[in-house]
Amino acid sequence: MPVLTESRRAGDFVLSEANGNLSRDRIVIDTGVHLPGTVLGQVTATKKFVALDPAASTGAENAAAVLRDHADATDGDVNAVGYVRLAEVRADMLVWPAGISDNDKAEALAALATAHLVAR
């Protein structure tokens, strides 16, 4: 019998969120292919979201949201939904940039916590 592997699903990393859509906003993803749970930064000049990049100096170095569903922006901007406030997420299911340090993760989690996006 073959082994089937299920990929991540939209919001499967969410423990709780506010009623209705209060925790979520429509966002624009600028570039890249991203999984649900990807920690995002927001580029100050464009207000678009990209994967968190602690080495950037564009705004992308500051954690601002967590992506709800898959997003593929390889061919240009794509609309998506991000958790931007008032939610609890599973820390072990967040998607981080390769090679991110524990210190940068801690800073990103602290930044998300200021918007009441709490990793448990």
Side-chain angles (χ1 to χ4, degrees), residues 45-101:
T46 64
K47 303 298 183 204
K48 296 176 185 177
F49 289 80
V50 297
L52 179 70
D53 181 359
S57 59
T58 61
E61 69 276 14
N62 302 314
V66 179
L67 184 63
R68 175 170 167 65
D69 202 349
H70 295 270
D72 183 350
T74 54
D75 293 331
D77 295 351
V78 65
N79 293 322
V81 174
Y83 288 96
V84 297
R85 70 185 78 77
L86 300 172
E88 292 176 293
V89 297
R90 287 186 51 180
D92 64 328
M93 292 186 76
L94 294 178
V95 179
W96 298 98
I100 189 170
S101 70

Side-chain angles (χ1 to χ4, degrees), residues 14-75:
V14 177
L15 295 170
S16 69
E17 63 181 293
N19 289 337
N21 291 321
L22 185 60
S23 297
R24 308 174 194 179
D25 272 349
R26 291 182 181 159
I27 61 175
V28 176
I29 303 294
D30 188 3
T31 184
V33 178
H34 308 288
L35 295 172
T38 299
V39 178
L40 303 171
Q42 186 176 27
V43 177
T44 306
T46 64
K47 303 298 183 204
K48 296 176 185 177
F49 289 80
V50 297
L52 179 70
D53 181 359
S57 59
T58 61
E61 69 276 14
N62 302 314
V66 179
L67 184 63
R68 175 170 167 65
D69 202 349
H70 295 270
D72 183 350
T74 54
D75 293 331

